[in-house]
Amino acid sequence: MPVRVGVVVFPGSNCDRDTLHALDLAGAEPVALWHESATLDGVAAVILPGGFAYGDYLRAGVIARFSPVMRAVAAFADDGGLVLGICNGFQVLAEAGLVPGALLRNRQLRFLGRDVHIAAERLDTPFTHALAAAGRPLRMPIAHGEGCYFADDSTLDALEADRQVLFRYVSAAGERAGEDDRDANPNGSLRAIAGVLNAGGNVAGLMPHPERASESILGSDAGAGIIRSLVDSAAHAAAGGRAVAVGAR
Amino acid sequence: MPALGIDPLHRRLGLTDDELRAIHERLGGREPNDLELAMFSVMWSEHCSYKSSKPLLRTLPTAGDGVVAGPGENAGVISLGDGLAVAFKIESHNHPSAVEPYQGAATGVGGILRDIFTMGARPIAVLDALRFGDPGDVHTRHLVDGVVRGVGGYGNCVGIPTVGGELVFDPSYQGNPLVNVMAIGLLDERRLTLAAAPGPGNLVVLFGSTTGRDGIGGASVLASATFTHDDPLKRPSVQVGDPFAEKLLIEASLELIDRGLVEGLQDLGAGGITCATSETADRAGTGIAVDLDAIPRREPDMEPFEVMISESQERMCAIVRPDRWEAVREVCERWGLPVAVIGRVTDDGDITVERDATELARVPAASLTSDAIVHERLGRAPEHRRNAPAPGVPLSPSDRLPERGMDPGAVLLVLVGSPNLASRRAVFEQYDSTVGADTVVGPGHGAAVLRIKGTTKAIVASTDGNQAVSAIDPYAGAAMSVAEATRNVSITGARPLGVTNCLNYGDPTRPEAFWQLSEGVRGLGDACRALGVPVTGGNVSLYNESPAGSIAPTPEIGVVGLLDDVNALVGPAFAADGDTIVLVGTATPGLSGSAYAALAGTAAEDGLPSLDLAREAAVQAFIREAIGRGLVASAQDVAGGGLAVALAECAMWGGRGAAVRVPTAMSPAVELFGESPSRIVVTVTPRFVPALVLLARQHGVPVETLGSVGGDRLVIQLVGSGATGASEERGSTVADELDVPMTALRHAWDNGLTRALGWED
Amino acid sequence: MTSYRFAVNVTPKPGILDPQGRAVEGSLDHLGIEGVRSVRVGRRVELTVEAADETAARVVVERLASELLANPLIESYAIEAIGAVT
Amino acid sequence: MTSYRFAVNVTPKPGILDPQGRAVEGSLDHLGIEGVRSVRVGRRVELTVEAADETAARVVVERLASELLANPLIESYAIEAIGAVT
Ligand SMILES: Nc1ncnc2c1ncn2[C@@H]1O[C@H](COP(=O)(O)OP(=O)(O)O)[C@@H](O)[C@H]1O
Ligand SMILES: [Mg+2]
């Protein structure tokens, strides 16, 4: 029986359908979770999809944090539940303090919709274990105006030390991008960080869109491995296994 | 012109004395009161009434295979089989964008999206066709920046991918930019919903944003009077778009339709509540009684006329059976949308406006819409027809541009890097082109392709408008626009299903401008008939004039096609080294209206290349069949910049050079840079060449083998009679061989636009 | 030359729709906050001007505000001296 | 119950990237404006609160500002009473 994976639907979510579709392709039973709902309907993992949760005019992700479903998600995350935030979902997780850091406006102050390459820093996590290799460039789209990852230096150092940097922007050849490398790191993220883990290793956020790169007809299926990792980990968790990343403190 | 104070109200509202008389007739001889007059003024504006263009539009071919809804509805709808249908429509937001580029463009996107989901279709794509003046000009740069941010700011937030469009710079748009937006939606045919108000006793429900003073007079004044920048009287209170509200509106509307809760649905655009109520009532032969105080307001003490004609964005009007009102209310409230019963359907055929039991206005619904005034305008061709490109383009070679006689390689580099031909990446990178996870081909390389989940099918779409040729010959310009838009769809292997169009022209009361419009519509109709595609809808934008003059006539054509097997899709990029390059079709003389002419100026003897519609149809039928048979590796049509630029694009996009020899009967400039239509650059695996040639013969289409793909340079040799002597005789001294490194082409193409706009930093 | 610190407060004109303000109002329930209304969201730009005297400085800020910081069609602005003179 | 009108000024914390401020500085040349520096771009939110007294009102604004209007990681805020008491 396929594992149930939830996708939160805020009124302004616009990648919810894409994400449900990608989960379906990955063999999960996709479950839409309405933002007003205070429960998670017994799902084994939750994805916060891309979009503009409540319009996000003020600051991306800020209002969503106060929604009933986010209280449930926070509680779920607290006892080790798997949560993945994609794009706006990442912004919501950061605003809610479920992952470290903040997402500032892209350096050049323009919305950016284009392909980038990211590479996983580690494969021993519920979100990356099905990927072929660490450091291998994965091509997928970004589509955001506020994706510049920011945290103060001490926080960044701690993230590196604790191996909480999950994805970085890299060149097509796989070299880590610099902070001013417009081409490989277009939003100017500090230390080229494209995705992070929480301290427990069970909550992750990333700016690029793996769900839009999960079928070759769409130009890349490099994102499928991330979705599949989550689905497998959810199945494992549902079967009573603990889904926390090995090595994360 | 008399001072405003003493000018009678109807004139201040943009109505002529004749029109006032016509209103008297519609009201059985009675004087309209001010509220009624305001309602007429909006509904009889050019924008809402099509009073100048209606007689012309009637001549367009609208019947075709699978047409489910055509002109007259909010959007055209064509069946795709499997119970699916596609809805599509293009609309202009030129004047609002000239006033406030960000909000003008944003609300333009919002408006056309509403036309799509009003029909019961979920929007799946947006294409934006933009036209501006000199890219080096500070004000133009301000407009481009604002319009592009506005299109993205709205489309990205509602989550509809912007997958294509156009960006054209032409001096004639300096004072009057064009912002045309096309939207495409998918629907289950059984969900098709029409904008009618049947069933007296049914409730009229308004949902979405509250009503404020936005765009009061926008439709009647802004859209139907020449726009001059600093005339505060003609400046509307700017409409601000709220894409989040639109997102809620989409979801709520589609849920209402899905659950069969509405009898009819109409978006609110120009003319606001007046337009929505009169159009829906007229279509159903009913009337509507509006209860003014029931309309949720955003601002205190609004005048009745302000409420009735307000263009506040993100509002919808539903016709609902009383027993379903509670369910409708629940849906809207769940989506966080204000909703109210603002009136009821009546059987008297009138639109009435009531406030606590007193009747403020009573007007026959038909008199505001189907029976609105129609003007038979006078059209006259200009005395001497200009045989030159669009106004403002140099008639003789100008120093900052490549001159005739320049080395053709240098000319090619300038063309490839010119504002109209260089990569548009800097613009479309600001759009989300992949949300929805259906985008197979996004902006950048020809027509857009969107797969249809759960099928092997894909929608293919393109917009094209040829203002340069239209400025010289509006009939030819419109026909060529249709030819190019359909060709762009055909070369992917898809079958063009239908055409939507946005007619951007000047002041119809000027005989030359009206002649341009009528010639444009004639060319549009003839081309659509010859190519077998119905016109399913569109939009007319007139009075596109600034103190500097009129725009070049701009018939913007949107085409939607169907690809039965998305895996058979063919793209423009050279696919493999060693493939044979074949030119389908033959060049005809004439450089007028070409990008080359715009840069180098036109010589006296230049005319327009000719378009043979039968040949165009044959070429498109041939390429579709060749692709269907799997004979074609890549296909790109010859358009802006001519054969040389087409080859350069295929090469750059494929990351491979090419060496070709072009048999030349005419001037090298014509052979290399001429833009005569009905030509396609095709690449084929060598062993398929004979089959392709045979198929071409069967279709009566000439084909010529030019050379092969490979290397890191583009080499074009001209051979034959026109190659040497002929060119000098013709006054052209373009030399006969062109040899450019791909790196140089790439550099020119990549950076041309950002350099022109001063965006590079 | 002295330095003057100013703030330019840019707010949507009355009557102009303010989606940001509406979004904030819409979130008040979730926060369990009551009695808040008429929220308008604008920009605040703080800057330092070198000039001979405050009048000269204001002239500069005035120009910056009207030509760059505010869109006269939909926004109004107010200039505020926030001291920090050095 | 009385109505109090407040403004909440939200500005990027010192040291936080402020690309908008840099963009404004970058366009000063085009405008031929000189002597302007240290531009910071933030938000200004104006709102009306119904409360028994100003202290009670401030408590509400304080909460709104700290929980919603500003992100403590990157922004600081200041609350300003702008009268318009009715
Ligand atoms: N150039 C045109 N060709 C064919 N149909 C047109 C054209 N211009 C407008 N129409 C049709 O007239 C109707 C009214 O146009 P419009 O006012 O733009 O629609 P809406 O009010 O939904 O925006 C629409 O159905 C539109 O398709
Ligand atoms: Mg409509």
Side-chain angles (χ1 to χ4, degrees), chain B residues 474-493:
Chain B
Y475 173 88
M480 284 191 192
S481 303
V482 175
E484 182 173 354
T486 50
R487 199 185 311 131
N488 280 321
V489 168
S490 289
I491 60 176
T492 64

Side-chain angles (χ1 to χ4, degrees), chain C residues 3 5 9-11 20 24 27-28 30-51 60-61 63-64 67-69 80 86, chain D residues 3 5 9-11 20 23-24 27-28 30-51 60 63-64 67-69 80 86:
Chain C
S3 308
R5 187 93 179 144
N9 298 322
V10 181
T11 43
Q20 299 195 58
V24 172
S27 66
L28 294 170
H30 282 158
L31 276 127
I33 288 183
E34 279 171 14
V36 173
R37 54 181 172 78
S38 336
V39 180
R40 306 289 280 175
V41 178
R43 281 185 307 286
R44 178 176 174 91
V45 182
E46 298 184 353
L47 50 98
T48 301
V49 188
E50 299 282 339
V60 174
V61 182
R63 238 195 97 201
L64 200 58
E67 292 181 20
L68 186 68
L69 304 180
E80 183 186 318
T86 47
Chain D
S3 309
R5 187 99 181 138
N9 297 322
V10 181
T11 42
Q20 298 189 76
V24 171
S27 50
L28 293 171
H30 299 298
L31 287 161
I33 290 182
E34 279 171 14
V36 174
R37 55 183 171 76
S38 339
V39 180
R40 306 289 282 172
V41 178
R43 267 187 309 281
R44 178 176 173 93
V45 182
E46 299 183 353
L47 50 99
T48 300
V49 187
E50 301 282 339
V60 173
R63 227 193 108 205
L64 200 59
E67 293 189 6
L68 186 72
L69 304 180
E80 182 187 319
T86 45

Side-chain angles (χ1 to χ4, degrees), chain B residues 50 57 60 71-74 89 91 115 501 503 535 537-540:
Chain B
Y50 291 81
L57 300 181
L60 294 170
E73 298 301 334
N74 283 305
K89 168 91 179 287
E91 203 154 76
D115 278 337
N501 67 99
L503 301 174
V535 174
N539 175 246
V540 177

